[in-house]
Structures are given as C-alpha cells and as structure tokens.
Amino acid sequence: MTERVPAPQEPADATQPSAIQPGEAELRFVGNSDLQVFPIAMSGNVFGWKTDDEATNRILDSFAAQGGNFIDTADSYAAGRSETMIGNWMRSRRNRSSIVVATKVGKSADNPGLRARVLTRAVNASLDRLGVQHIDLLYLHIDDTTVAFEETLLAVDELIRAGKVRFFGGSDHTGNRLIEARIASAMVGVAPMVALQNHYNLVHRQEYEGDLANVAAQQRLGVMPRFALASGFLTGKYRQRSDLALNPRGGEAAKYLNRRGLRILSALDGIAKAHDSSVASVALAWLLAKPNVVAPVVSASHPEQVADLAAAAGLQLSRLQVAELDLVSR
C-alpha cells in the first residue's frame, strides 16, 4: 500500500486571514492507513454520563451535518454505554459505512489490561455494543507494562486478520515505548501502529512536543490530541475564579486560570476576532497546523456546541497567528 502521511494545513499568508469555510474542510489520512477522517474527532466520553440518548443523537446528528465522520469512544466510557449509544445512532441513521469508528480497550472494569485473551474479549464486547462487524481504529487505552508487547501485538494482529479491526494505535505511551512497540512489531512480523492519541493543547504542550512528537514523526503516526480544549478552558468560558463554579468541569480547568493561561486567552481572543470565529475554533486550528496532527478529539454536552468545534476544520491560521500562539503558550 502506498504510504500516506497526513500533512498539516499549510499556514495562510502571513498577514491575511484565511477565506476557507467550515464546509470546505478536506478529509485527512490517519498515518499510513487508508482511513480518511474529518479533521475533528467527536468524543463519546460524555455519552451515557452527561448526555442521554436524545441529546447524544442530536450531538451526533449535528456533527454529521457539519461533515464530521470520525467518532472516538472507549469500552470504559460510561461502562460501555457510550459504545451502545453510538451503535444505536449509526443503526437508526443507517450510516455505518460513512462513519470511522475508533474505540479503546484496556481500562474497562470487565476487561482490564492488555493480555491477549482479555484484549480479544474486550474487542468482541465492543463490537457487540457498537453493533458493527469491525472497528476502524482500535487504541490500546493504556500502556500495560505487565504484558510483553509481543503478546498484545499478536492478539491485535489476529483481530485484524479476522476482519474485526482495521488499524490500531496507542494511547498514553511514551516515545520510548512506541519505539519498543515498533521493534516488537517487526520482530514478530505484524502490522505496526498507525495512530497516537495523547494529551496535547495550547496550555499543555511539554508532554507531547519533543521526544514524543519526534517518534510520531519518525513512525508516521497520525496524531489525535485529546483534552484538546483543556477541559473547556480553551473555549474562553473561564476568565475569573467565579466562573469555575458555574460548570461541573470548572475544577479541572482551574489549574490553567493563571497569568499564562489568561495571556493565551487574550491572544486567542484577538485571532478569533480577526477570523470572526470562536476562541475554541482557533485553539483547535492551532493544533491542526502542527505536523502529523490529524484530528483533535473534542466533546460536546449540547448540540449547540458542535458548530464551533467543527468550524475549526475549515479555519486556516496565518503563519504569524500560529507563531503568536506558539510564543504566548511557551
């Protein structure tokens, strides 16, 4: 298969805002796979927890109406309820063939860890809940150091050969561990990872940038930043301490409400105004301008939030705007 490398959007002219509209966003390849996805992944982490069936359906309907085709969940989200709700939505809309489904295994209470038999059981359970024949992108939700990579990789390869999984990736892995996994894949002659999901956003850069980013580039992994909006801080809704009490996730965002965080919000405000866009869209567009980033993973508790999230896929920042955000968020 011809290798595909997801290229970041080329920054626009250094002084002129982009004229790209959200509906014009192009699909991106996930690493060296043939999966083509919308540049934003809708997370199912609130489905079955913060949202009921009706709200979940409305969120996913809105996402699909914006061109979204990439849904990210896990067998541990709401004890599997998230997968069931996503499966019900696809079945009722009869759109499975147009949706790229990613799920994660390794953290559920029923099937913890990445032993071969446990991983296989977890995937089969996810397939049942999703009501699908195959998972497009399977993530190893944890780095289970108690299990040799060879055992886990051979189990995944069996699932791929059986047609139950198309491609797989890692989550919560260090650069060194990704290198070990690639070596193990070559030694046992199985398919390597094609994707990486990691914590990465404007206020949380150090964990990914550097060693992990270099390994992702070397292995041509498609990168899916999770916590892309820093628990809502990068939407701009937390500007002072009193704002934190107005939202259940305020406590998670509190650590960002400092002078650095407010400087970042101020820069986002100016760029959002220049594009007639939202702060959240600009924060996501910054991620999409980074090498190897394919689709930031975002969540919505209300369908009214989806448009701003999806709009980032068609928002192209200028080189100066990317550089400004790089500088202020150091």
Side-chain angles (χ1 to χ4, degrees):
M1 187 192 321
T2 302
E3 290 189 346
R4 305 276 190 174
V5 183
Q9 293 180 358
E10 180 68 19
D13 178 84
T15 58
Q16 296 299 317
S18 168
I20 293 177
Q21 298 302 310
E24 299 174 352
E26 293 185 357
L27 300 183
R28 296 182 172 196
F29 283 98
V30 176
N32 285 332
S33 79
D34 61 5
L35 298 176
Q36 289 184 278
V37 299
F38 187 73
I40 297 292
M42 179 56 63
S43 175
N45 66 341
V46 300
F47 300 164
W49 170 42
K50 288 188 175 182
T51 66
D52 59 16
D53 291 281
E54 180 182 356
T56 296
N57 287 342
R58 291 175 61 205
I59 289 167
L60 292 174
D61 283 343
S62 179
F63 183 58
Q66 299 286 334
N69 75 334
F70 193 16
I71 301 177
D72 179 279
T73 186
D75 65 351
S76 59
Y77 293 168
R81 177 67 177 154
S82 173
E83 291 180 326
T84 299
M85 295 169 84
I86 292 166
N88 289 342
W89 174 77
M90 288 190 295
R91 185 163 51 255
S92 67
R93 279 28 175 197
R94 299 181 179 179
N95 62 0
R96 170 64 183 106
S97 63
S98 64
I99 300 297
V100 177
V101 177
T103 195
K104 298 177 281 291
V105 296
K107 282 188 178 181
S108 75
D110 291 336
N111 296 302
L114 297 176
R115 291 281 180 195
R117 65 181 184 279
V118 175
L119 187 153
T120 300
R121 189 169 63 230
V123 168
N124 286 329
S126 289
L127 290 169
D128 287 343
R129 285 189 293 267
L130 288 162
V132 299
Q133 298 298 311
H134 67 269
I135 293 163
D136 296 300
L137 180 58
L138 177 72
Y139 287 106
L140 308 179
H141 206 175
I142 58 171
D143 180 9
D144 188 349
T145 57
T146 68
V147 183
F149 264 132
E150 289 81 359
E151 177 180 343
T152 298
L153 295 172
L154 284 169
V156 172
D157 191 64
E158 285 186 13
L159 291 164
I160 292 173
R161 291 175 184 275
K164 295 182 177 183
V165 172
R166 293 191 62 198
F167 300 96
F168 83 110
S171 173
D172 198 30
H173 291 71
T174 65
N176 284 339
R177 289 289 284 169
L178 288 174
I179 292 171
E180 289 179 30
R182 183 57 63 100
I183 293 171
S185 294
M187 289 179 63
V188 296
V190 299
M193 295 183 188
V194 302
L196 170 68
Q197 190 172 124
N198 58 283
H199 190 174
Y200 184 34
N201 58 52
L202 265 169
V203 292
H204 188 97
R205 295 176 56 183
Q206 188 173 358
E207 178 181 325
Y208 172 71
E209 293 182 356
D211 177 59
L212 194 53
N214 289 336
V215 173
Q218 291 164 5
Q219 297 188 4
R220 298 187 175 183
L221 301 175
V223 177
M224 321 296 174
R226 66 174 180 263
F227 303 121
L229 290 174
S231 301
F233 180 78
L234 292 172
T235 67
K237 62 185 175 184
Y238 303 112
R239 305 280 181 157
Q240 51 193 7
R241 291 290 165 184
S242 58
D243 295 333
L244 299 173
L246 301 178
N247 191 289
R249 299 188 70 185
E252 300 172 30
K255 58 180 174 288
Y256 305 121
L257 191 55
N258 49 40
R259 282 185 291 182
R260 174 176 175 263
L262 292 174
R263 284 198 303 270
I264 293 170
L265 289 183
S266 179
L268 288 169
D269 287 337
I271 296 171
K273 184 176 180 180
H275 284 275
D276 191 22
S277 182
S278 70
V279 166
S281 293
V282 174
L284 295 173
W286 176 82
L287 282 170
L288 286 167
K290 296 302 174 181
N292 302 298
V293 169
V294 175
V297 182
V298 299
S299 60
S301 300
H302 306 281
E304 295 77 18
Q305 299 169 333
V306 175
D308 274 349
L309 303 176
L315 177 59
Q316 194 171 7
L317 305 182
S318 73
R319 290 184 176 87
L320 285 180
Q321 290 166 342
V322 172
E324 178 185 353
L325 291 172
D326 285 346
L327 181 62
V328 76
S329 61
R330 283 182 180 170

